[in-house]
Amino acid sequence: MADIDARDKGSRDPSPEAAISESAASESATTEDQVASLIRLAGPKPSVSPQVLSQLRAKTQDHWHRKVARVRRRRQATRRRWLAVAAAIVVAAGTTLLWSGRGPSDTVAVATIARFESVFGGNWEAPEQGLVPGAILTTKPGVRLALRLDDGVSLRLDGASRAVLDGPRTVTLEQGGVYLDTGPVDGTAPGGSEGASLEVHTPFGLARDIGTQFEVRVDEASLQVRVREGQVRVKTAAASHQATAGDHLRVAADGTVERRREATHGGPWSWVQQTAPTMDLEGKSLAAALRWMARETGWRVDYESAELAQEVEGILIHGAVQDLRPAEVPEVLLPSSGLYSALHRGSLKVCASREPCGAP
Amino acid sequence: MAGAYSPDAFRMRQDRLLVQRLLAGDEAAFERFADENFTGLMRFALSRLSYDEALAQDIVQSTLCTAIDRLEAFRGESTLLTWLCGICHFEIRGHFRRHRRRGQEVELDDQLPESPAVVDGAVAAGPFVALQDKEMQGLVLIALEQLPERYSEILQWKYLEEASVKDIAERLAVGPKAAESKLTRARNAFRGAFESVRKGTGDGGFEGLRLGAQEGSD
C-alpha cells in the first residue's frame, strides 16, 4: 500500500516526491481516513435478488456447455484429421491399413492423482470422476478424510476444511487443516518420490517439503505450519522460513512470524492419529507394525537392546488384527509376543521383561 | 502487500486454475465460478447503472457470455472478478454509446471517460484524479467483494453506519479489543485488495485493463 500512502502524503505536501517523516499514529490515521473515504464513496452494497442470480446462472451455464461442446468437437475433428493424415501416409507407403471406422472417443479420460482411503466422523462422497487434478475436498466440522496420493503420500484433511488437489504434488489449502506424510509407509518402501517437493499453497504463504510429516492450517488471519519430521520451507510475501521437526510457525496476515517448539506427539497431532488409515498387518513383522505406530503417533521406539530390536524384526504377525489403531499396537501385539512396553514422554520402551521397562 | 504469496497473488493463482478447469468442462468449476463472481458482478453493474436491476441483468448476462467466449484470453494478471468487471465496463460503455446514437439522453459525466469527474478529499491526489467517481466506486466494490464477508461487513458498519468499536464488538459477540483487532485486520485486508485491484486495472482504471483480443462490444 506504499503507493497510496505516498499519494495521500502528496495531497498535503506541495512536493509528492519529498520525503515525509511522520509519526506512526498520524500515518495510520491518514490511512484510515483514506479507507473511510473509499468505503463511503462506494456506499452500501446493492442487494441482488436470488431470482436474478438463478437466471444468470442458468443462461451462462447453457452458454458454457455449448462452448465446451464446441471445443471438444474441434479437438476431435483435429484428431480425426491427424489420423487421416497418418492413414494416408501409411497407405502411401504401401502398407495395408484396416480402418475400423471408429473415431476417437468423445471424452478424454483424465488420470486420477489420488484415491480415497477413509472418512472419520461422518459421510463423504467422492467426486464422480474420481480424484483428478482440480478435485475440491470439503469437510464439515467433525468429519475428516484420509487420502493416498498416487505416489504414496498420505494426505489427511481435518474437519471444517477445504482443499483443492491441483496436481500430483500440489495442494491448495483454503481453510482448515491438512496433514501430509511423504515418508515411509510400512517402514520399507518410502511413499512419495524422494527429492520431489510437495507444495501446499495458502493465502498467506507456500509450504514446501522434502521427505516430511507436517501439518498446514489456515484461518482468516494466519497460516500455521507444524513439522513432525523432516523440514519444511515456508515462503511468504516478505521472506522465506525454514521449519524443522518440533517447530510450530505462525505467519500472521500482516507477515509477522512467530516460532515456538512443541512436542511431535499428542495434543495438536491427535486428529492426525485418529485419521490414520489402518494397516494390513497380516504377515508383516512386529518391527514394521511398531514403525507404523511410531509414524502415526509421533512416539519414538526404544528397544531394551540391539538384540531385541533384531529379534522383533523376525516376529511375524498372524491372526485377526483388523482395524487396529496405531496407539493400540503396544497393548495388543506386544503381550502376545511376550514383550513389555512403557510409554513415557513420547518414548515407547520395548523390553523382553517387565522390570527394565518399569511396566505395571 | 506485494509478492508472490500475498492473499491477492494467491487469489489470482486460484482464478487461473479455475479458468483452466472451466475450459476443461469441469461442472464443479462452473459452480465455483458462479458462486464467487456473479453477485459481485451484479453489484458492480447496479452501482454503474443507477440500480436499474433489469438493465444490470441484461448487461451482466451479456458480460458473462462474452467472458465465456473469451476465457482463453484470461491471463491471471488480475483476479477473475476484476477481469469480468472490466468486460462489464465496456458493455456498459457500449450500451450508452448506442443510446446516445439513438438520441436518448444519457448522463455522460458518470459513464464516459471523456468527462472526468472531480474526486474530492483524500483520494484526489495523483492518478486517482484521472479516474471518475463511478470508476473508483467500481474498484472499491470489487475490492470489498474479494474480502471475507465478515471483513466487508465490519468496514461497512464502521464507515457507513458510523458504528463505534463497542457497537461492532456487540454485533460480533466479542470484547472491544478483539473487535478493534478485527477492524484493523479488515482495513489492512481492504487496503491490500484495493491495491491489487488497482494494479490489475492500471492507473487508467478499466480502460487500462487488458481483456483479450477484442476490448469492447460497441
Side-chain angles (χ1 to χ4, degrees), chain A residues 1-12 28 30-49 51-53 55-68 70-72 74-75 129 132-136 162-166 170-174 199 201-206 208 220-221 235-239 250 253-255, chain B residues 1-8 10 13-14 17 21-36 38-39 42-44 46-47 51 53 57 60-61 64-72 119 121-128 133 136-137 140-141 144-145 148-153 155-156 158-160 162 182-183 185 187-188 190-192 194-195 198-199 203:
Chain A
M1 208 70 177
D3 286 350
I4 288 183
D5 286 341
R7 281 192 289 276
D8 187 59
K9 288 169 193 170
S11 72
R12 294 183 281 114
S28 71
T30 301
T31 305
E32 183 177 347
D33 285 346
Q34 196 161 26
V35 169
S37 295
L38 289 170
I39 303 286
R40 285 173 191 137
L41 177 69
K45 281 190 194 178
S47 62
V48 181
S49 98
Q51 192 183 8
V52 165
L53 287 173
Q55 288 165 358
L56 286 171
R57 188 182 280 253
K59 286 189 183 168
T60 307
Q61 190 164 26
D62 193 47
H63 192 88
W64 170 70
H65 279 150
R66 287 201 296 274
K67 176 184 170 109
V68 169
R70 269 199 313 274
V71 169
R72 284 187 179 148
R74 254 201 315 269
R75 284 190 191 144
Q129 73 274 34
V132 295
I136 300 172
R162 184 180 170 94
V164 183
L165 295 181
D166 297 316
T170 311
V171 175
T172 297
L173 179 65
E174 298 177 355
E199 295 182 347
H201 291 260
T202 78
F204 303 113
L206 164 67
R208 182 185 281 144
E220 63 178 25
K235 285 191 176 183
T236 67
R250 184 179 182 279
D254 62 4
Chain B
M1 202 191 290
Y5 302 101
S6 63
D8 307 302
F10 173 81
R13 174 182 175 273
Q14 293 312 96
L17 295 173
R21 289 181 12 238
L22 275 172
L23 287 167
D26 182 343
E27 290 286 345
F30 180 85
E31 293 304 316
R32 187 160 193 177
F33 168 61
D35 289 341
E36 291 183 356
F38 286 16
T39 301
M42 264 301 292
R43 284 181 176 147
F44 175 81
L46 283 167
S47 72
Y51 305 98
E53 189 180 69
Q57 184 176 353
V60 167
Q61 187 64 75
L64 288 168
C65 290
T66 301
I68 294 290
D69 290 339
R70 296 189 201 170
L71 269 180
E72 289 88 345
V119 180
V123 300
F128 287 160
D133 263 340
M136 182 67 72
Q137 187 183 36
V140 174
L141 275 175
L144 286 170
E145 285 299 324
E149 185 70 27
R150 182 41 52 99
Y151 282 179
S152 178
E153 269 181 342
L155 290 171
Q156 295 201 76
K158 171 74 178 165
Y159 298 116
L160 294 182
E162 309 284 339
K182 278 193 189 287
L183 179 57
R185 285 205 297 269
R187 267 199 296 268
N188 290 340
F190 170 77
R191 289 165 61 207
F194 182 71
E195 186 63 10
R198 266 209 347 96
K199 277 191 181 149
D203 286 336

Side-chain angles (χ1 to χ4, degrees), chain A residues 19-266:
Chain A
I20 299 171
S21 63
E22 293 183 6
S23 69
S26 62
E27 190 169 298
S28 71
T30 301
T31 305
E32 183 177 347
D33 285 346
Q34 196 161 26
V35 169
S37 295
L38 289 170
I39 303 286
R40 285 173 191 137
L41 177 69
K45 281 190 194 178
S47 62
V48 181
S49 98
Q51 192 183 8
V52 165
L53 287 173
S54 175
Q55 288 165 358
L56 286 171
R57 188 182 280 253
K59 286 189 183 168
T60 307
Q61 190 164 26
D62 193 47
H63 192 88
W64 170 70
H65 279 150
R66 287 201 296 274
K67 176 184 170 109
V68 169
R70 269 199 313 274
V71 169
R72 284 187 179 148
R73 278 197 299 272
R74 254 201 315 269
R75 284 190 191 144
Q76 285 161 20
T78 305
R79 268 200 294 274
R80 279 196 286 271
R81 277 199 293 276
W82 279 112
L83 284 170
V85 167
I89 290 171
V90 168
V91 168
T95 310
T96 305
L97 178 74
L98 294 176
W99 177 241
S100 69
R102 279 183 291 121
S105 60
D106 282 341
T107 57
V108 177
V110 178
T112 59
I113 55 170
R115 69 177 191 281
F116 164 68
E117 280 191 318
S118 340
V119 61
F120 304 86
N123 298 315
W124 185 76
E125 206 171 301
E128 263 181 29
Q129 73 274 34
L131 296 169
V132 295
I136 300 172
L137 312 172
T138 309
T139 54
K140 294 183 179 169
V143 180
R144 296 173 173 142
L145 291 183
L147 308 178
R148 184 76 55 181
L149 302 187
D150 275 1
D151 61 0
V153 171
S154 171
L155 183 155
R156 294 167 218 178
L157 195 65
D158 201 358
S161 300
R162 184 180 170 94
V164 183
L165 295 181
D166 297 316
R169 295 192 76 78
T170 311
V171 175
T172 297
L173 179 65
E174 298 177 355
Q175 169 188 318
V178 67
Y179 171 81
L180 294 127
D181 183 351
T182 62
V185 173
D186 59 359
T188 54
S193 311
E194 284 198 24
S197 287
L198 190 140
E199 295 182 347
V200 181
H201 291 260
T202 78
F204 303 113
L206 164 67
R208 182 185 281 144
D209 90 296
I210 300 177
T212 301
Q213 289 177 307
F214 65 108
E215 180 202 69
V216 180
R217 193 165 287 277
V218 160
D219 59 30
E220 63 178 25
S222 70
L223 156 68
Q224 296 183 58
V225 177
R226 285 188 178 86
V227 183
R228 195 183 227 183
E229 181 192 87
Q231 292 180 17
V232 173
R233 184 162 287 279
V234 180
K235 285 191 176 183
T236 67
S240 182
H241 309 273
Q242 184 121 330
T244 55
D247 278 342
H248 175 186
L249 275 187
R250 184 179 182 279
V251 180
D254 62 4
T256 53
V257 177
E258 290 169 19
R259 182 192 295 262
R260 56 175 192 259
R261 300 284 298 166
E262 286 181 353
T264 56
H265 56 88

Side-chain angles (χ1 to χ4, degrees), chain B residues 168-176 178-179 182:
Chain B
I168 293 173
E170 275 169 27
R171 294 189 205 195
L172 296 175
V174 299
K182 278 193 189 287

